Amino acid sequence: MKKQVLGFWKMLRWIATRAVVFYVLIYFMTTSFVDFDQIKFGYKIRLLNKIIPKSYSLMIDLAQGKPLDDRARLKPYIKFYEKLVGFFPERADAFSVLAFCYYHNQEWQPAVSAYQQALDLNADVFWFHYNKGFILYKNKQFQDALKVFEGARGCELSSTVEFIKESKIVYRLIGVDDAVFFAQANQRLIQGREDVYFLSALIGYSLKRYDELLAMADLARSQGIQDADFWFYAGMAAFQMKNYDAASECFIFCLSRDQQNVKAWEILEQSARQSSSSVARKAKNLQRIKPKSGDVSITNKRVAARLADLNLQLF
Amino acid sequence: MSGAGLQKKAQSKPRAGRLFLRAVIFCVISWVFAFRGFLSGALKFRHDALPYYEHGKFFIDYILRGIFPLWDPTWNCGVPNEFFLRRMGDFNPFYYVVAFLRLIGFSHFTAYNIFLVAYYFLGMIGFYLLCQRIFKNAAMSLFGFFLLSFSSLATLVFSSYVSLIFTPGVWFFYFLVSFYFRSTRTSFLGAIFALMILFSTYIPFYFLFIFSVFLFFSFCLMPGCCVSYISKLINFFKQNKGLVFCSVLILLFSLIPAWQMFQSSAQGNFVLPTRNFNSSISNAIGVPQQRSDFGGIIPHYVIKELFSSYKSMTLARVYIPLMAFIVLLLGGGVRASKRLLLFVGMASFLFLVGVYDAPVYKAFFKHIFFFKYLRNFQFFFWVAILPLFILICCEHFSSLKKCIFNGSRKYFMCAWVVGVHIGCVLLFYFIGLSSTNLIVLNIASCLFFILLLFFKLSENSPIMIVLMGALVIVPSFEIYQYLGQNALLKNEPYRYEQDYQRLQYHRSDAENPIFVSPIVAKLAVDLQQKQSADLSQRFLIYYGTRWYNQLLQNINQFVFKEYIRYKFIAYDSVEWVDAESMPWEEIETSFSLLSNKAYVERGDHLIDASFLGNQKADDVAQVMKQDSKVFKLKKISANFVQIQTDFDQKKFLVFTDCYYPGWRVFINGRKQPVFRANGAFKGVWLPAGFNEVEYKFGSLWDYGLKGVATLLFFLMLFLCLFEWRRGGV
């Protein structure tokens, strides 16, 4: 028995004096001192530091709507933002910039997914809806786009402004620091909402979703939407639904902002004839600003040019 | 020992020496080949290596002209050069190799590269000798030498100044250990000389800390050896009183420049805002408590760098030749000797200190004064942990070798070798690092150990050394090939490579304060929801005079850049101002309109009639753009400027080089007061008529100190070499 204990003791001593046992001990001793969460955080930051793009000029150019000459230049930005969202998946702003990069790199599906992730994190940001809807529209996924634009129309613009202000580490690098650019952010938001209404109306009318367009017109009225093209399509939808009062009102809105729309004048006249007397009177009063001659192609060209000019907006 | 034995030993010594010499030559040639891109100048130096190269050039340029450069007029409108000299350790006699090579016709770039390579390998030879002392085996020492030479410590030659610390540090430890075995004068003088080099820099703290850790662990693990060491030291002191006294005196003298620099940084005449930002102490070289996102060792990061694809290899990325890990695994079952415990203990402790987020650093920062002056703890990894890791590998190899060469349990050992190598391949496969090259290396390594097991090779046989060297060096070529592909090309000259010494009235380029916008700082602050000053709103310089920094913080950058475009501006009138209430807005307006009024700090000067301006003044100040009847720039160098003026009326001349204590002005040989003008510059009253004006920087004491210190360093080096030649180590 004693011999066995002695043998066991010897074996234990032999094991205990091995280098590998010592290393394991040292490992546990040192790791018990260390706050790993903090270290992981440092590790992430250090890696990001290493791959951070040297200049943001390209992103600033893209944010300001300048064309991209070489898609290869986007690679470091995509790499950086992919890592950033991987490390900090709670940052909606980072997802949105990544989606923006994907879009310019013509990777539509990843762009839509990234915007969706941004929306999952913060659905109050107007541009997330707008951009996602815009990409879907560009890819002719009109039904989906219309649904996404519905979210954009319901957004409070002030919460988007707040979000942009608070995104110090992501947006600031791409020009938010610039006072002029920031002052224009509000302006861009208002224009963006007008564009959303316009695109929604265009899609809604094309898909013959007239009742939705009429509901949209009610909301647009409450939000003070000025977009003549939207009101034109809303008027057309009301006219198709034989709601002549609503149609006349929409055309009146449209023509008081764009007198060159020959088609709108033509349909307004037809609608006014069927409308109640008060609306017909309003339409008659408007006749004084009607141009003497006009060409329908002018409006068509303008709308086509406007559609071509539309682009993704970062903030 | 028998006579035959002694004779055999005596014969084997020069043979080992020759073997080592050949190995070093082979290693240097391979190393130069691996880093040919950097050495040829095709690839760019990065990070700290660049300013060290540049300031080294500035220093040598002036030394070759017989001037000790105490002022650098090209950096942020002029700065005291002492800070840069302390960083590089200007008394290091090895720097003068560069000067010598330039004298015999080499370009500075080539000369500096020769110095870099030689100094790096001097450190490696020191490491080899240290291994020799520890393991008493040439093969083991060469293994360590190969591993360290081809680890990524080599890449730091082109991205850091670490070799300037590593080389004297490793030689110090070599002499320290040698002294234990043979208490010779060479070892003592060598250690003192290495300490002198380390202490004459402003950052001796890395070394001091490593040495303290070494002492602590040695006393804990080997108290007997320590006591015996102390008694040997006392005996040596008793026998060599004169030598010890003189050496200690010289060592203390070598501390004076660093101490002076420390004092002057405490006075605040120069500032290091990016370093000192948020620091709790006012000393310019003080640092705030560090965070892991800005330096230090991050275990995850080290592991990721070690075990991920080397196709993205960059400078200062952690790489240790694979053979080190194979040996480490093979020797995992060896007995943990005290020596091994010392190495592992030191490495683990330093690693723990280097991790900023571990409580050890926080406690040290709070309680140890020099931690408030120390940052970039990742250097501990390079100068201590990596060499210690290689010593651990050597220790494993050394224990393993005994099992291999004693010939017992051959088949068990063979199975173990094969098993470990298969394990290695599988491990790399699972972490996604599997490549043909790695598999080939594993097979080659496996065959190497089987060869050692079954063929009776002598421990120090050339075949074994060549195979061992090949297993370490050949795979490294692939890694450094990737490094060459990923490194930046050098497509513009470095600072001071253009002709910066010529006489010119304007600055070749506007000074460029760096706009500090650390994204990561922002990110860190944002994500941790900590309150912090908004870094991105501030212009921060790396190094400059206090007044230059103040000026930069208070006036528009574009106005400032435009104003400092020319060096000499003559004014007719001045406005006396107090330092506490500088009218920055007025100064800014004056700069932008170039108004004919300078703003001069009253200081302790009495405003007598000679300090009053002219009654009739033009609207605009007179800018000196070229030699003219009234102004001629005669000579300009680091510490000296000479001009001739011949104005028809009294003028106040502003030299847009920074004001700094230590500058003196002589007009026609008579000393005149220097004023701080327009916030940061040197101003002086010039009488009407012809004047010979000389600006001089530095006192006799400054130059004397430099001269004596340089001489003492050379003297110490010669003494060491003399003693070595006479009595060996």
Side-chain angles (χ1 to χ4, degrees):
Chain A
M1 182 65 185
K2 204 178 168 187
K3 214 175 177 182
Q4 274 175 331
V5 170
L6 210 66
F8 181 70
W9 172 243
K10 264 188 179 171
M11 195 179 76
L12 216 60
R13 233 183 84 174
W14 187 89
I15 293 170
T17 53
R18 297 304 96 186
V20 68
V21 176
F22 181 61
Y23 297 151
V24 172
L25 269 175
I26 285 275
Y27 172 78
F28 283 113
M29 272 166 67
T30 48
T31 51
S32 62
F33 276 109
V34 175
D35 176 358
F36 273 98
D37 288 340
Q38 195 68 17
I39 286 176
K40 265 185 195 163
F41 179 79
Y43 162 69
K44 289 172 182 177
I45 299 290
R46 189 86 72 85
L47 269 189
L48 286 176
N49 224 358
K50 223 170 184 186
I51 57 168
I52 197 158
K54 287 185 181 65
S55 152
Y56 274 82
S57 59
L58 178 68
M59 290 303 284
I60 293 168
D61 286 351
L62 291 177
Q64 290 174 347
K66 291 178 189 161
L68 175 69
D69 50 358
D70 179 10
R71 278 201 281 149
R73 288 174 65 200
L74 268 172
K75 275 187 182 164
Y77 296 92
I78 292 179
K79 191 179 168 192
F80 173 69
Y81 286 112
E82 278 178 343
K83 204 53 122 187
L84 186 64
V85 300
F87 285 160
F88 303 105
E90 70 282 5
R91 292 208 72 99
D93 48 359
F95 274 109
S96 78
V97 185
L98 175 64
F100 186 75
C101 294
Y102 280 144
Y103 168 78
H104 284 286
N105 203 31
Q106 298 182 7
E107 296 177 65
W108 316 118
Q109 199 43 52
V112 170
S113 307
Y115 272 124
Q116 187 51 53
Q117 275 166 301
L119 280 169
D120 293 343
L121 291 164
N122 190 343
D124 294 336
V125 182
F126 170 81
W127 289 122
F128 297 169
H129 294 280
Y130 172 89
N131 287 335
K132 186 185 170 197
F134 183 75
I135 299 170
L136 291 169
Y137 156 77
K138 275 259 183 187
N139 284 284
K140 303 192 187 330
Q141 291 169 260
F142 297 125
Q143 305 248 14
D144 296 336
L146 196 60
K147 207 172 169 189
V148 176
F149 283 142
E150 195 182 337
R153 292 194 302 273
C155 275
E156 282 287 335
L157 299 190
S158 57
S159 51
T160 305
V161 174
E162 279 308 305
F163 178 78
I164 295 170
K165 268 190 198 169
E166 280 168 19
S167 170
K168 287 173 187 159
I169 57 154
V170 179
Y171 289 162
R172 173 170 287 191
L173 298 169
I174 317 170
V176 177
D177 241 3
D178 178 357
V180 180
F181 194 69
F182 185 69
Q184 289 167 350
N186 255 330
Q187 208 63 38
R188 281 194 300 276
L189 270 173
I190 293 166
Q191 183 55 48
R193 190 164 64 179
E194 302 272 321
D195 290 338
V196 160
Y197 271 98
F198 161 57
L199 285 172
S200 304
L202 184 67
I203 296 170
Y205 186 74
S206 311
L207 298 176
K208 298 186 178 171
R209 307 264 277 263
Y210 303 136
D211 46 350
E212 268 182 50
L213 254 175
L214 279 184
M216 222 184 280
D218 288 339
L219 185 65
R221 230 174 259 124
S222 69
Q223 289 180 343
I225 296 299
Q226 305 285 318
D227 194 90
D229 297 325
F230 164 73
W231 288 115
F232 172 73
Y233 286 109
M236 292 297 284
F239 186 76
Q240 295 291 345
M241 289 180 77
K242 297 190 173 37
N243 185 344
Y244 299 115
D245 272 7
S248 301
E249 288 220 350
C250 290
F251 285 124
I252 290 167
F253 265 123
C254 164
L255 289 166
S256 56
R257 285 155 190 91
D258 173 23
Q259 292 93 47
Q260 304 299 323
N261 194 334
V262 179
K263 188 81 178 165
W265 283 114
E266 186 191 322
I267 312 286
L268 174 64
E269 277 164 18
Q270 288 179 32
S271 307
R273 266 182 248 136
Q274 315 282 335
S275 302
S276 61
S277 56
S278 61
V279 176
R281 208 169 33 248
K282 274 191 210 166
K284 203 175 175 184
N285 282 342
L286 202 70
Q287 289 292 325
R288 62 194 160 79
I289 59 164
K290 183 181 177 182
K292 287 191 174 103
S293 62
D295 184 356
V296 74
S297 65
I298 295 174
T299 305
N300 289 345
K301 276 181 192 166
R302 190 183 53 73
V303 171
R306 184 180 174 186
L307 279 171
D309 274 353
L310 286 178
N311 210 340
L312 229 58
Q313 290 288 345
L314 195 51
F315 46 79
Chain B
M1 196 181 278
S2 70
L6 277 172
Q7 201 180 357
K8 204 176 170 189
K9 200 179 174 189
Q11 276 174 353
S12 75
K13 225 177 176 183
R15 203 185 306 147
R18 273 202 302 275
L19 193 70
F20 170 66
L21 195 67
R22 280 177 203 156
V24 170
I25 292 169
F26 170 68
C27 207
V28 173
I29 293 169
S30 311
W31 196 92
V32 169
F33 178 74
F35 293 100
R36 63 195 179 281
F38 292 99
L39 295 171
S40 67
L43 301 175
K44 196 178 175 183
F45 287 5
R46 298 300 311 278
H47 311 302
D48 279 339
L50 194 51
Y52 274 73
Y53 164 78
E54 292 168 342
H55 295 300
K57 180 169 189 308
F58 181 79
F59 174 65
I60 299 292
D61 282 349
Y62 276 103
I63 286 293
L64 288 176
R65 286 173 59 186
I67 298 166
F68 209 101
L70 296 178
W71 184 259
D72 183 346
T74 68
W75 188 280
N76 286 339
C77 289
V79 288
N81 198 32
E82 188 61 20
F83 172 70
F84 297 128
L85 295 178
R86 287 284 59 75
R87 284 204 322 179
M88 54 190 251
D90 53 328
F91 302 125
N92 188 339
F94 296 101
Y95 262 118
Y96 289 85
V97 170
V98 183
F100 172 74
L101 290 171
R102 279 182 61 178
L103 277 177
I104 60 170
F106 284 92
S107 71
H108 181 81
F109 187 74
T110 314
Y112 187 77
N113 278 337
I114 293 172
F115 159 74
L116 276 184
V117 177
Y119 204 62
Y120 177 74
F121 274 98
L122 185 66
M124 292 302 127
I125 292 169
F127 186 73
Y128 165 82
L129 293 174
L130 181 65
C131 291
Q132 273 266 35
R133 281 277 177 266
I134 296 170
F135 302 108
K136 304 204 183 327
N137 181 289
M140 230 31 43
S141 311
L142 271 176
F143 182 65
F145 172 78
F146 287 141
L147 281 181
L148 194 63
S149 303
F150 281 85
S151 70
S152 53
L153 181 63
T155 68
L156 267 77
V157 171
F158 310 106
S159 69
S160 177
Y161 58 88
V162 156
S163 65
L164 294 179
I165 303 175
F166 176 77
T167 300
V170 80
W171 276 94
F172 171 78
F173 278 105
Y174 164 66
F175 288 123
L176 193 79
V177 175
S178 297
F179 192 85
Y180 178 75
F181 295 108
R182 261 186 79 197
S183 308
T184 60
R185 290 156 74 99
T186 315
S187 302
F188 179 77
L189 287 173
I192 294 283
F193 180 60
L195 279 181
M196 282 168 68
I197 292 181
L198 287 162
F199 286 171
S200 63
T201 68
Y202 88 108
I203 35 176
F205 302 126
Y206 290 112
F207 165 78
L208 272 181
F209 185 68
I210 293 166
F211 185 50
S212 315
V213 173
F214 169 75
L215 287 182
F216 172 76
F217 277 91
S218 302
F219 271 105
C220 291
L221 293 165
M222 304 167 177
C225 292
C226 292
V227 170
S228 133
Y229 197 98
I230 291 168
S231 70
K232 279 179 186 176
L233 208 59
I234 292 168
N235 279 340
F236 181 82
F237 286 176
K238 279 179 187 165
Q239 286 162 15
N240 301 277
K241 279 184 196 124
L243 181 84
V244 171
F245 179 74
C246 290
S247 306
V248 171
L249 217 59
I250 292 174
L251 181 65
L252 289 176
F253 186 84
S254 72
L255 282 169
I256 295 176
W259 176 250
Q260 269 192 329
M261 151 100 184
F262 188 79
Q263 290 296 316
S264 110
S265 68
Q267 283 166 9
N269 288 337
F270 67 80
V271 290
L272 290 150
T274 49
R275 182 186 169 91
N276 193 241
F277 187 75
N278 270 351
S279 169
S280 57
I281 53 171
S282 58
N283 192 312
I285 56 172
V287 295
Q289 188 171 330
Q290 304 291 294
R291 289 206 320 257
S292 58
D293 40 325
F294 282 123
I297 301 167
I298 295 187
H300 298 66
Y301 202 73
V302 174
I303 291 166
K304 186 184 183 309
E305 290 199 337
L306 268 176
F307 301 111
S308 59
S309 169
Y310 282 101
K311 283 189 177 158
S312 56
M313 181 70 189
T314 51
L315 290 172
R317 182 188 153 162
V318 183
Y319 163 71
I320 303 169
L322 188 70
M323 274 303 282
F325 296 101
I326 292 176
V327 169
L328 195 75
L329 288 175
L330 278 173
V334 299
R335 191 167 180 276
S337 63
K338 277 189 182 177
R339 205 162 58 187
L340 187 73
L341 295 187
L342 175 73
F343 298 151
V344 177
M346 273 182 76
S348 316
F349 186 72
L350 287 169
F351 195 84
L352 210 57
V353 175
V355 178
Y356 289 145
D357 291 315
V360 186
Y361 167 71
K362 288 172 188 165
F364 283 0
F365 183 82
K366 211 171 167 187
H367 300 293
I368 301 178
F369 91 96
F370 66 73
F371 269 69
K372 291 187 176 66
Y373 299 93
L374 206 52
R375 59 176 188 172
N376 288 327
F377 278 28
Q378 69 273 26
F379 290 157
F380 282 135
F381 181 84
W382 300 107
V383 296
I385 298 168
L386 179 59
L388 281 166
F389 177 78
I390 288 169
L391 286 178
I392 293 166
C393 294
C394 291
E395 177 72 27
H396 276 211
F397 201 2
S398 174
S399 308
L400 197 69
K401 180 190 65 140
K402 285 173 197 157
C403 307
I404 290 174
F405 287 105
N406 72 12
S408 64
R409 293 189 294 176
K410 262 187 189 173
Y411 292 99
F412 169 77
M413 282 305 293
C414 182
W416 172 242
V417 164
V418 173
V420 165
H421 282 88
I422 291 172
C424 259
V425 172
L426 289 176
L427 185 73
F428 286 123
Y429 176 77
F430 284 117
I431 58 174
L433 255 182
S434 176
S435 72
T436 321
N437 292 351
L438 272 177
I439 294 169
V440 170
L441 176 68
N442 263 286
I443 294 170
S445 157
C446 189
L447 290 174
F448 169 72
F449 284 104
I450 291 172
L451 188 82
L452 291 186
L453 270 172
F454 291 96
F455 296 89
K456 283 194 174 174
L457 283 178
S458 132
E459 272 187 49
N460 296 332
S461 76
I463 298 174
M464 181 172 156
I465 305 293
V466 167
L467 285 176
M468 205 164 62
L471 282 170
V472 174
I473 296 170
V474 174
S476 305
F477 281 142
E478 186 197 359
I479 311 296
Y480 294 126
Q481 181 75 17
Y482 293 135
L483 173 69
Q485 286 165 7
N486 297 330
L488 291 180
L489 293 175
K490 185 194 172 196
N491 41 22
E492 55 187 17
Y494 298 142
R495 196 185 178 99
Y496 306 119
E497 280 189 343
Q498 287 155 327
D499 185 14
Y500 67 95
Q501 294 182 8
R502 71 186 158 164
L503 288 177
Q504 51 184 17
Y505 282 83
H506 63 277
R507 292 194 158 77
S508 53
D509 59 337
E511 301 296 319
N512 43 348
I514 46 170
F515 186 39
V516 174
S517 175
I519 290 111
V520 173
K522 211 79 210 90
L523 190 63
V525 170
D526 220 38
L527 290 167
Q528 293 182 87
Q529 295 177 337
K530 282 182 184 166
Q531 291 298 315
S532 167
D534 194 354
L535 285 171
S536 64
Q537 297 302 313
R538 298 183 52 169
F539 274 100
L540 296 180
I541 52 170
Y542 176 66
Y543 172 55
T545 66
R546 167 161 53 118
W547 303 283
Y548 176 88
N549 188 44
Q550 262 176 14
L551 188 64
L552 206 61
Q553 298 296 320
N554 285 293
I555 71 164
N556 182 291
Q557 310 304 315
F558 301 104
V559 172
F560 174 76
K561 279 186 183 177
E562 197 51 38
Y563 180 74
I564 61 164
R565 190 180 297 276
Y566 290 96
K567 291 178 184 170
F568 297 95
I569 302 165
Y571 293 86
D572 284 307
S573 60
V574 299
E575 183 172 328
W576 298 97
V577 291
D578 289 322
E580 294 77 31
S581 52
M582 292 294 284
W584 296 116
E585 277 182 29
E586 280 181 44
I587 292 176
E588 186 182 290
T589 313
S590 165
F591 278 12
S592 56
L593 301 173
L594 211 63
S595 309
N596 198 357
K597 183 168 71 173
Y599 292 82
V600 184
E601 192 196 331
R602 194 191 324 263
D604 52 4
H605 299 289
L606 291 170
I607 312 300
D608 62 21
S610 64
F611 290 164
L612 294 175
N614 299 315
Q615 294 301 313
K616 282 185 179 178
D618 294 331
D619 292 340
V620 181
Q622 202 175 341
V623 179
M624 309 300 146
K625 297 185 175 174
Q626 57 191 7
D627 282 351
S628 63
K629 275 185 189 171
V630 294
F631 193 95
K632 195 168 184 189
L633 182 55
K634 295 271 288 178
K635 198 174 174 188
I636 196 159
S637 79
N639 318 321
F640 182 75
V641 179
Q642 189 181 32
I643 53 174
Q644 280 176 354
T645 63
D646 195 3
F647 292 106
D648 54 3
Q649 57 178 354
K650 189 168 73 171
K651 292 273 183 185
F652 185 79
L653 183 72
V654 173
F655 175 21
T656 60
D657 189 79
C658 280
Y659 169 86
Y660 199 78
W663 273 102
R664 294 164 295 149
V665 172
F666 297 86
I667 299 178
N668 302 324
R670 295 183 67 182
K671 193 178 174 191
Q672 297 294 331
V674 187
F675 296 94
R676 179 160 73 91
N678 285 341
F681 309 113
K682 289 189 266 287
V684 62
W685 278 108
L686 295 176
F690 182 82
N691 295 303
E692 187 97 31
V693 185
E694 287 177 343
Y695 294 81
K696 292 178 181 173
F697 185 66
S699 62
L700 195 64
W701 159 256
D702 295 327
Y703 291 103
L705 182 70
K706 296 281 176 200
V708 173
T710 309
L711 273 177
L712 284 177
F713 272 72
F714 270 101
L715 179 77
M716 206 60 179
L717 175 65
F718 287 124
L719 253 172
C720 288
L721 292 174
F722 175 74
E723 282 293 336
W724 196 330
R725 198 165 166 71
R726 211 176 63 155
V729 185

